[in-house]
Amino acid sequence: MTYIAKPRLHHPTLETNKVGYTRRDYEGKISTLCAGCGHDSISAAIIQACWELDIEPHRVAKLSGIGCSSKTPDYFLGASHGFNTVHGRMPSVLTGANLANRDLLYLGVSGDGDSASIGLGQFAHAMRRGVRMAYIVENNGVYGLTKGQFSATADSGSKSKKGVINSDSPVDLVAMALQLGATYVGRSFSGNKAQLVPLIKGAITHGGAAFIDVISPCVAFNNHPGSTKSYDYVREHNEAVSRIDFITEREEITAVAQPGEVVDVRQHDGSLLRLRSLHADYDATNRYTAMAYMQEHQARGEIVTGLLYVDPLATDLHTALNTSAKPLNELDVPQLCPGAPALDKLNASLR
Amino acid sequence: MKRIEALNDFVIKFANVNGSGSASANELFAKAILRMGVPVSPRNIFPSNIQGLPTWYEVRVSEAGYLGRRGGIDMMVAMNPQTWDADVAELEPGGYLFYDSTRPLPPSKFRPDITVIGMPLTEICNAVYTDPRQRQLFKNIVYVGALSVLLEIEPEVIEKLFGEQYKGKEKLLASNVQALHLGRDFAKEHLDAPLGIRVKRADKVGDQIFVDGNAAAALGCVYGGATVAAWYPITPSSSVAEAFQKYCGKFRVDPATGQHHYAIVQAEDEIASIGMVVGAGWNGARAFTATSGPGVSLMTEFIGLAYFAEIPVTIINVQRGGPSTGMPTRTQQADIIACAYASHGDTKHVLLFPEDPHECFEHAACALDLADRLQTPVFVMTDLDIGMNQRMCRPFAWDDSRSYDRGKVMTAAELEAGKDFGRYKDVDGDGIPWRTLPGTHPTKGSYFTRGTTRDPYARYSERGPDYIYNVERLLKKFATAATLVPQPVLRPASRKTPLGVIYFGSTSPAMQEALDVLPESGIHLDALRLRAFPFPESVKQFIASHERVFIVEQNRDAQMHNLIVNELDIDPGKLTRVLHYDGTPITARFITAAITKHVTLSMMPRGKTAQAQEVQP
């Protein structure tokens, strides 16, 4: 694999955010993915989201599995610690990392091969445990690194580049996340940055397990007629349920025009998700109607995108475990070791 | 018929049915003898099932302090008709058979060379109790009462134990004491007591404690500062995590806030449990998992990642009979090679071999230090025999001046001061690089962790020299590990001898007894107890300084022998394997017989027999 560091040149007029960083500070190494890869657009959206959220890059831990998507954390947030784990097992490693230090922000990046095949179990259990993280699947329905095999999210009837028709049913990670108890579930398209950036911002600030499935066409192996994960196909079949704005708690909340069309959802940290529902009957705070809505449209061949479900007051695994506010990796002997007198007492009870 | 006569030196076995509530009564029996100052070593022998099938509890009583399984049974408490024939057959000639005589058995069911003691336990309980469960449960206490008369166990000691067990539950206390005396009164009136085997108060226990290795390892993790535990239930290791939960609840809850200074997750499988430990270790928490052989098999991919990416991980492997599902509830030392070289590619891992619960505690705490110091997986290799059986051992000890060795973690201040940070750079010459934790510094010290190759600055690289630098440094680190791990313990013979023996782990008590017994046959052995892999230089020297060295272990393929030959470049011709692997704990009788047989064979004139390299008694 080639290894290309990005020159660290900053134009003096580049705009800085509230913590003093320019957008360049959120970049990583130069991508080695194919030109036009949807994954690079997602990296760009993550960069944009983190910059706009005024996150200090080193306070993010970015973890991934194995595959094209899992390479991408190297291409953003260069000042963050990254961890390219093993195939499909990012969720467990991220869970452990999160338990060790609850103060960092956790970004889990995965692919459809990584999360829907080998890692389906780990994906499911991270969702049901409510590990606080933004879990982004860069979903192209194909194995790119091994040159074009179908992944488990490939739609039934879709055609591979070699002309093979997929006969297996697809795994719908969004449906699974909803069913498993994820408290923030969205789907987007790598070619729709306006939708994706606020969706990522909402996920990062969410208080529990946030999942975003991003359809991200593979230009090398899955961007041809017959593919249901190509740029053209997704653009033609996109059914956006909502457009969201993300407003941090520090910003003034402006009055909302057109009552009935916009819902403000305040998250546990005070930030606001402004949901502009494109469909009057769509309620993004109801898990069950979200599931039904999504599946009804899916049956019609439509890809529902936007913020599909959110529980704004979600809590996480640390809450469930009643873990100390001080990160576990900062505790030392006084907090951890009961000491010799307690041991003497224990010895006495064992005689 | 000559009856067995022995004071404070016998083996008694209880044959019961799983789920009958006998376990606590049997444990009460063992503990009462211990409270009388006489060393005991009990062992649960149970099949892999939930309820209704046979289970045994064997108690060795030994004033001399021998805690290994002796072999042979002096008294059988035969409460399971299903296993009657085998149980009766197991008795030593002159032994004693105690049974429930409510339903009379024909004479053909007994042996002429044993003393039979019948007591109508069911009839007694049915007469006193109406509730079916009570009838079953108190039957166990009634037989403990009868045994206390037959073996002269002080009833006050048992009553005191009841008092401790049912503190605040007066009704339960009274009913248990009543059942105890029901048994005692019957025995005094109808049975010929005492027997030839008896217990007499002694002073041979001292300040020793009575605990199982899994609880001890869990406590070692608490004292050693583990904050994240991720596990998946598997026999015989589950009680490690359960005990950790219990001890954390006692010791790790912030009194001011009620918040926990620990996190325990029961993962969805072993892969996820080790994954969580890897993530926590990467992020600077002390983390461990507990598992057994099949769990280790599932974990190997992550273990390889932790080795290569250099992440602290502690794994407590409570070994059981393998391979595959093997014998889930039987003991072996058969994961040595699987753990030493776990994962694909060239890997080597640190293994610790505790001999008893005391060392389970010590080694668990030590493993957390070593994992951080070496930034690598460290296995604590216990087994079912130590892990699930209560054993008498030295009390746990902790030096309050002890701090945790967090290893080479570069701080923000050090980075700020301009200290050169190369994640995989050997700056100190010991093969151990420095690391930074996520979130340390806004602009310095971040790096990308991966299982693929890299240069000393953690940049992806497939260049041969970078790869060689890295893997050679890992070897250097392993050599450093040999100086940091618990060193072997030498027990020299009372006289100069060309014979040596190497042993480790749960073999220890049986070996100690064998070393006392063998000189009676003129066989003197210098003994070396291994406590860790990598092997320090002293192991090589020990082998070099003897003409023949026996290696005693509990597996079929001589795994420790092979590891020694492979790692120390030893001539295998100097070594003799003594192997025990039927799933039961090795006995002193077995070791003594095997070594005696070998010595006898080797003394025969040359040409009469080949030099035996493996002996079975």
Side-chain angles (χ1 to χ4, degrees):
Chain A
M1 188 178 88
T2 49
Y3 169 81
I4 309 160
K6 202 172 255 188
R8 307 264 320 151
L9 293 172
H10 280 195
H11 195 278
T13 60
L14 275 178
E15 191 187 346
T16 57
N17 60 11
K18 286 181 182 145
V19 284
Y21 292 93
T22 71
R23 215 163 300 188
R24 293 296 311 271
D25 295 318
Y26 294 82
E27 293 176 353
K29 299 191 177 73
I30 291 175
S31 170
T32 59
L33 299 173
C34 309
C37 178
H39 296 359
D40 286 334
S41 307
I42 301 170
S43 294
I46 292 170
I47 289 166
Q48 179 82 8
C50 290
W51 181 78
E52 288 180 5
L53 282 174
D54 303 317
I55 290 167
E56 293 178 286
H58 73 292
R59 302 303 297 170
V60 177
K62 47 184 188 176
L63 294 97
S64 61
I66 295 287
C68 290
S69 56
S70 292
K71 283 153 65 104
T72 63
D74 221 4
Y75 311 143
F76 55 80
L77 297 171
S80 306
H81 275 63
F83 196 162
N84 205 182
T85 63
V86 291
H87 202 194
R89 321 293 189 200
M90 174 275 287
S92 65
V93 180
L94 190 149
T95 302
N98 181 299
L99 290 174
N101 185 356
R102 63 189 301 171
D103 279 357
L104 300 182
L105 295 168
Y106 291 90
L107 203 53
V109 179
S110 184
D112 42 303
D114 203 50
S115 277
S117 289
I118 185 169
L120 192 61
Q122 293 222 337
F123 160 77
H125 289 278
M127 291 298 117
R128 62 180 272 270
R129 277 191 193 103
V131 180
R132 187 178 175 187
M133 62 172 158
Y135 190 130
I136 299 171
V137 164
E138 303 181 349
N139 184 355
N140 58 18
V142 77
Y143 283 82
L145 275 182
T146 50
K147 303 193 187 301
Q149 299 83 2
F150 285 121
S151 86
T153 64
D155 291 308
S156 185
S158 65
K159 198 188 276 184
S160 78
K161 198 176 178 184
K162 287 180 180 167
V164 179
I165 306 287
N166 181 36
S167 57
D168 296 345
S169 293
V171 169
D172 187 336
L173 292 170
V174 162
M176 286 190 70
L178 283 168
Q179 207 240 320
L180 290 162
T183 46
Y184 183 105
V185 181
R187 174 171 274 148
S188 191
F189 172 45
S190 63
N192 186 354
K193 205 172 172 186
Q195 184 192 54
L196 184 55
V197 171
L199 210 52
I200 293 172
K201 286 166 77 176
I204 288 173
T205 56
H206 183 65
F211 175 71
I212 311 173
D213 180 45
V214 188
I215 295 170
S216 171
C218 171
V219 288
F221 297 105
N222 210 9
N223 195 33
H224 48 266
S227 161
T228 56
K229 298 275 191 291
S230 67
Y231 280 109
D232 288 346
Y233 185 91
V234 178
R235 284 197 182 105
E236 282 162 21
H237 295 80
N238 190 352
E239 166 74 10
V241 291
S242 60
R243 206 167 66 222
I244 68 167
D245 298 325
F246 181 85
I247 301 160
T248 64
E249 58 182 325
R250 295 181 295 278
E251 286 176 14
E252 187 191 353
I253 298 162
T254 54
V256 175
Q258 296 173 308
E261 284 195 348
V262 174
V263 184
D264 282 354
V265 181
R266 187 170 292 280
Q267 299 205 99
H268 77 117
D269 67 343
S271 62
L272 207 63
L273 292 170
R274 177 156 298 161
L275 279 168
R276 194 175 302 273
S277 182
L278 298 183
H279 295 272
D281 59 341
Y282 194 78
D283 177 6
T285 59
N286 186 321
R287 183 188 295 275
Y288 309 103
T289 54
M291 288 165 86
Y293 187 92
M294 201 194 66
Q295 281 165 0
E296 277 165 24
H297 284 258
Q298 192 171 303
R300 297 208 291 262
E302 291 171 358
I303 302 160
V304 177
T305 63
L307 179 58
L308 304 170
Y309 172 68
V310 63
D311 172 1
L313 301 177
T315 54
D316 76 338
L317 181 59
H318 279 286
T319 312
L321 296 176
N322 192 22
T323 324
S324 70
K326 189 173 181 182
L328 293 176
N329 69 353
E330 290 177 18
L331 302 176
D332 210 342
V333 175
Q335 295 93 24
L336 301 179
C337 185
L343 201 55
D344 292 342
K345 234 170 129 179
L346 202 69
N347 279 327
S349 75
L350 296 170
R351 291 189 178 114
Chain B
M1 179 190 69
K2 197 174 175 215
R3 299 195 314 171
I4 294 172
E5 299 280 337
L7 189 66
N8 290 348
D9 186 12
F10 58 89
V11 177
I12 181 167
K13 191 169 182 177
F14 300 82
N16 295 102
V17 179
N18 231 350
S20 63
S22 60
S24 51
N26 297 342
E27 190 185 320
L28 175 84
F29 171 87
K31 222 167 171 182
I33 298 173
L34 193 80
R35 286 279 178 95
M36 287 175 67
V38 182
V40 291
S41 58
R43 282 179 172 81
N44 260 308
I45 303 159
F46 57 104
S48 181
N49 76 93
I50 310 298
Q51 211 165 20
L53 286 177
T55 180
W56 294 268
Y57 189 80
E58 186 179 303
V59 183
R60 181 170 189 190
V61 179
S62 166
E63 190 169 323
Y66 293 130
L67 303 178
R69 195 173 182 216
R70 190 198 69 183
I73 303 298
D74 300 317
M75 181 171 190
M76 180 68 73
V77 179
M79 300 297 290
N80 187 353
Q82 260 184 298
T83 58
W84 176 271
D85 292 340
D87 293 336
V88 172
E90 210 178 341
L91 274 166
E92 299 273 290
Y96 304 88
L97 175 73
F98 179 93
Y99 83 111
D100 181 355
S101 59
T102 303
R103 281 175 62 195
L105 291 169
S108 61
K109 294 302 250 179
F110 303 105
R111 275 168 45 188
D113 60 343
I114 57 171
T115 301
V116 177
I117 307 141
M119 178 169 169
L121 289 165
T122 305
E123 191 183 309
I124 293 168
C125 289
N126 286 355
V128 178
Y129 305 102
T130 49
D131 177 64
R133 186 64 184 155
Q134 276 193 337
R135 283 175 171 174
Q136 176 56 52
L137 287 175
F138 284 122
K139 198 191 288 181
N140 304 313
I141 303 298
V142 170
Y143 75 60
V144 169
L147 291 174
S148 72
V149 172
L150 293 168
L151 302 172
E152 298 194 322
I153 298 167
E154 296 167 11
E156 301 78 19
V157 173
I158 302 176
E159 285 177 27
K160 192 157 183 278
L161 283 166
F162 278 141
E164 291 167 19
Q165 192 178 346
Y166 300 113
K167 203 173 170 185
K169 297 171 186 166
E170 303 310 326
K171 213 173 155 189
L172 276 173
L173 172 64
S175 54
N176 275 280
V177 171
Q178 184 206 6
L180 177 78
H181 284 284
L182 208 57
R184 284 188 62 82
D185 293 346
F186 182 92
K188 277 193 258 182
E189 203 176 323
H190 302 284
L191 305 179
D192 187 12
L195 304 180
I197 53 171
R198 282 172 297 126
V199 182
K200 189 178 174 204
R201 186 168 275 278
D203 185 19
K204 302 292 181 188
V205 174
D207 69 344
Q208 294 188 89
I209 57 171
F210 190 59
V211 66
D212 65 84
N214 283 357
L219 193 65
C221 290
V222 173
Y223 272 74
T227 51
V228 176
W231 67 294
Y232 185 72
I234 181 170
T235 302
S237 75
S238 298
S239 58
V240 175
E242 288 161 351
F244 184 70
Q245 176 100 48
K246 184 186 86 178
Y247 288 129
C248 282
K250 188 178 168 79
F251 294 125
R252 288 275 194 80
V253 179
D254 188 322
T257 62
Q259 290 177 335
H260 299 171
H261 288 154
Y262 62 93
I264 304 169
V265 178
Q266 185 185 318
E268 59 269 31
D269 53 36
E270 283 91 346
I271 300 172
S273 61
I274 186 81
M276 290 177 201
V277 172
V278 166
W282 173 73
N283 216 358
R286 296 198 143 190
F288 78 96
T289 187
T291 191
S292 190
V296 171
S297 294
L298 285 168
M299 292 176 182
T300 51
E301 185 188 26
F302 260 131
I303 292 165
L305 173 74
Y307 172 78
F308 201 49
E310 299 183 60
I311 294 165
V313 166
T314 295
I315 301 155
I316 295 166
N317 179 13
V318 190
Q319 297 168 89
R320 64 190 217 183
S324 187
T325 313
M327 295 194 287
T329 59
R330 311 289 170 164
T331 199
Q332 270 186 358
Q333 298 172 310
D335 299 344
I336 297 163
I337 296 292
C339 293
Y341 301 127
S343 188
H344 51 272
D346 293 325
T347 51
K348 287 177 199 276
H349 306 295
V350 176
L351 314 179
L352 308 183
F353 301 102
E355 67 165 344
D356 63 4
H358 177 91
E359 278 196 349
C360 286
F361 172 83
E362 274 292 322
H363 286 192
C366 171
L368 292 159
D369 273 349
L370 284 171
D372 265 356
R373 167 56 48 184
L374 296 163
Q375 298 170 37
T376 201
V378 177
F379 289 84
V380 180
M381 304 286 285
T382 77
D383 57 30
L384 182 142
D385 188 26
I386 318 176
M388 288 189 74
N389 291 314
Q390 287 186 301
R391 188 172 296 178
M392 203 177 82
C393 65
R394 289 167 290 158
F396 301 132
W398 191 262
D399 178 357
D400 275 337
S401 66
R402 181 169 167 174
S403 60
Y404 300 143
D405 182 353
R406 291 281 167 109
K408 299 181 185 180
V409 181
M410 209 173 276
T411 63
E414 288 168 322
L415 289 165
E416 198 56 47
K419 207 167 176 180
D420 180 34
F421 176 70
R423 172 64 183 102
Y424 297 108
K425 205 173 161 191
D426 184 11
V427 286
D428 303 312
D430 57 2
I432 308 169
W434 285 77
R435 63 177 179 145
T436 56
L437 301 182
T440 297
H441 192 281
T443 54
K444 296 173 182 167
S446 71
Y447 65 96
F448 209 88
T449 304
R450 45 163 69 87
T452 36
T453 63
R454 77 301 298 237
D455 72 4
Y457 289 88
R459 295 174 299 212
Y460 184 91
S461 168
E462 288 178 12
R463 288 180 65 244
D466 285 338
Y467 177 80
I468 296 292
Y469 172 84
N470 201 44
V471 294
E472 291 288 327
R473 181 180 53 73
L474 287 169
L475 272 188
K476 197 196 283 181
K477 181 162 90 169
F478 204 63
T480 301
T483 66
L484 301 175
V485 296
Q487 299 298 297
V489 178
L490 178 68
R491 174 179 161 164
S494 58
R495 65 179 69 171
K496 194 169 165 52
T497 172
L499 299 177
V501 63
I502 287 176
Y503 66 102
F504 58 95
S506 66
T507 308
S508 190
M511 194 67 229
Q512 286 170 36
E513 186 177 355
L515 288 170
D516 285 351
V517 172
L518 280 163
E520 291 168 13
S521 317
I523 299 170
H524 298 270
L525 296 166
D526 290 328
L528 192 74
R529 178 165 71 85
L530 298 177
R531 294 203 295 167
F533 172 69
F535 305 119
E537 189 59 27
S538 56
V539 179
K540 195 168 186 172
Q541 287 164 3
F542 179 83
I543 296 169
S545 61
H546 292 88
E547 284 174 23
R548 175 141 307 276
V549 176
F550 297 94
I551 299 181
V552 181
E553 51 187 314
Q554 302 187 63
N555 59 68
R556 185 195 68 181
D557 290 345
Q559 296 190 20
M560 184 63 85
H561 165 277
N562 295 342
L563 196 62
I564 288 171
V565 168
N566 192 41
E567 292 289 328
L568 296 179
D569 202 16
I570 300 281
D571 171 11
K574 282 192 78 170
L575 307 175
T576 298
R577 297 169 287 197
V578 177
L579 306 173
H580 182 276
Y581 46 87
D582 68 0
T584 62
I586 195 167
T587 62
R589 284 184 184 179
F590 180 92
I591 299 169
T592 306
I595 291 177
T596 306
K597 186 176 173 186
H598 176 85
V599 172
T600 311
L601 284 172
S602 64
M603 281 162 59
M604 290 175 80
R606 198 172 269 279
K608 289 263 183 189
T609 180
Q611 181 88 318
Q613 293 304 309
E614 183 181 330
V615 286
Q616 294 287 347

